[in-house]
Amino acid sequence: MRSMTGFGLGEAALGEGRLFVEVRSLNHRFLETRVRLPPELTDHSFYVEQRCRDWLQRGRCDVSVRLEGQALPKPNIDLQRCRAAYATLCKLRDEVLPDSEVPLTLLATMPNLFDVHVALDASVVRSALDRALEAAIAHLHEMRRTEGVSLARDLAQKLSGARELRRRIELGYPVLTARLRKRVEERMAKLLQEVPLPVEPTRIEAEVVLLSERADLSEELTRLEGHFNHFAALCSESQAVGRRLDFLLQEISREANTIGAKCQDVELSHLVVELKAEIERMREQVQNVE
């Protein structure tokens, strides 16, 4: 089991400098990847996103790439165009503001004088991106696995609590028939006091049997135990199981709701409420699982 939150950093040599990749991930229902690249590498944005999808399965992942050192070729300067542009600026100065200074920094704001986006060999860039990204993802997975151990431990404790509540409901369920019988007998006795009519004992027995069948929890309790076993098995897997755990908890919640609807006993209803609360806590924690 792995968490969806984590951070990873990787680097690789590129030219005379280095390329750094940072990957941060947060909780998300699906996989959402956002890539930020330097202007010189924007053509590789889709490639980085696809590589992330090869290694990640769930979460909102922010990938940031930066360059340090002389990773890019030096920019080309068109000296002839620069001289012509500066001469034009000086001529304009002489017309509007003679004897004033024309700073050379103005040339940096003029387009087409400096070719700063020198094209890099695509294979060289992608090779460096692969190495740095793979290292960053490896660190990310390691952090996710570490946090996943804590998540698995917490979910195991919550599952144990849910199992105990289910066991207590199962133990209390046989008493329900006796309580139903007593309730029917008390109601019949009250009615007979108001309207004296002959009532056969088999009639009361039939009513008790009918109510017992409607309140039968055996199937729901059996399915609930099966779902708990499946949940425990998924928690022990090393692959991405968050979405499957989420779907399974929906089934567990349905069974708990059915038990609550059928249960006409105050004490058992309190246990069902506690069971639903435990299931909801499990659902909140599962939102952190990849």
Side-chain angles (χ1 to χ4, degrees):
M1 177 181 290
R2 294 193 298 260
S3 169
M4 273 194 289
T5 59
F7 171 80
L9 174 64
E11 62 178 289
L14 180 62
E16 298 179 7
R18 300 197 69 78
L19 180 146
F20 292 85
V21 175
E22 293 182 0
V23 181
R24 303 175 186 270
S25 66
L26 299 172
N27 298 346
H28 197 272
R29 187 176 180 184
F30 304 104
L31 177 61
E32 178 184 332
T33 305
R34 299 185 297 186
V35 179
R36 293 193 301 273
L37 294 171
E40 300 84 0
L41 305 180
T42 52
D43 292 343
H44 303 278
S45 178
F46 181 73
Y47 176 77
V48 172
E49 182 177 346
Q50 289 301 112
R51 294 298 288 158
C52 288
R53 292 184 177 276
D54 292 338
W55 288 314
L56 303 171
Q57 295 178 304
R58 198 177 183 212
R60 190 183 72 188
C61 300
D62 292 317
V63 182
S64 177
V65 180
R66 72 176 190 274
L67 300 173
E68 291 187 3
Q70 195 61 45
L72 302 176
K74 296 179 180 180
N76 294 325
I77 301 176
D78 192 332
L79 295 177
Q80 184 175 356
R81 294 173 67 89
C82 286
R83 293 190 184 98
Y86 190 76
T88 301
L89 289 174
C90 291
K91 183 178 180 180
L92 179 62
R93 182 273 317 271
D94 294 339
E95 293 180 1
V96 298
L97 196 62
D99 300 326
S100 63
E101 182 182 357
V102 179
L104 287 174
T105 53
L106 287 177
L107 296 178
T109 64
M110 303 180 68
N112 302 323
L113 298 182
F114 301 89
D115 185 10
V116 296
H117 302 300
V118 179
L120 296 172
D121 185 270
S123 62
V124 174
V125 174
R126 292 192 174 184
S127 177
L129 284 171
D130 276 340
R131 296 194 303 275
L133 185 59
E134 186 173 1
I137 296 292
H139 293 157
L140 176 71
H141 282 334
E142 184 61 30
M143 182 177 289
R144 282 180 157 191
R145 278 191 292 268
T146 301
E147 292 188 7
V149 172
S150 299
L151 289 177
R153 187 183 303 114
D154 184 69
L155 284 172
Q157 293 176 353
K158 289 178 170 54
L159 179 61
S160 178
R163 285 185 186 275
E164 175 61 20
L165 289 169
R166 178 209 164 278
R167 187 188 68 83
R168 292 170 61 186
I169 293 172
E170 188 175 32
L171 290 175
Y173 165 65
V175 185
L176 184 59
T177 302
R179 291 177 179 171
L180 288 173
R181 179 186 295 278
K182 183 179 179 181
R183 190 182 306 166
V184 171
E185 290 176 348
E186 289 176 350
R187 288 180 180 176
M188 293 297 293
K190 185 177 180 180
L191 288 174
L192 290 176
Q193 288 178 355
E194 298 175 358
V195 183
L197 293 173
V199 179
E200 299 179 2
T202 55
R203 179 67 178 178
I204 297 178
E205 187 68 26
E207 290 294 330
V208 172
V209 171
L210 181 60
L211 290 174
S212 298
E213 290 179 351
R214 291 178 178 175
D216 185 16
L217 306 178
S218 57
E219 291 185 9
E220 287 77 11
L221 291 172
T222 300
R223 285 195 295 267
L224 200 57
E225 181 64 19
H227 291 331
F228 285 160
N229 292 336
H230 189 192
F231 190 93
L234 288 177
C235 286
S236 63
E237 293 188 10
S238 59
Q239 303 299 320
V241 294
R243 199 171 300 173
R244 284 183 287 170
L245 289 175
D246 196 18
F247 291 151
L248 185 56
L249 279 172
Q250 293 179 24
E251 296 299 320
I252 292 174
S253 182
R254 289 192 187 98
E255 298 297 341
N257 289 334
T258 303
I259 292 174
K262 284 187 173 184
C263 187
Q264 301 299 320
D265 182 81
V266 175
E267 294 183 9
L268 292 182
S269 295
H270 290 167
L271 293 176
V272 174
V273 171
E274 292 183 31
L275 176 61
K276 290 181 179 180
E278 194 67 59
I279 293 171
E280 184 60 29
R281 286 189 285 268
M282 294 168 66
R283 184 193 297 275
E284 291 177 0
Q285 191 65 286
V286 163
Q287 304 310 310
N288 300 314
V289 179
E290 183 185 18

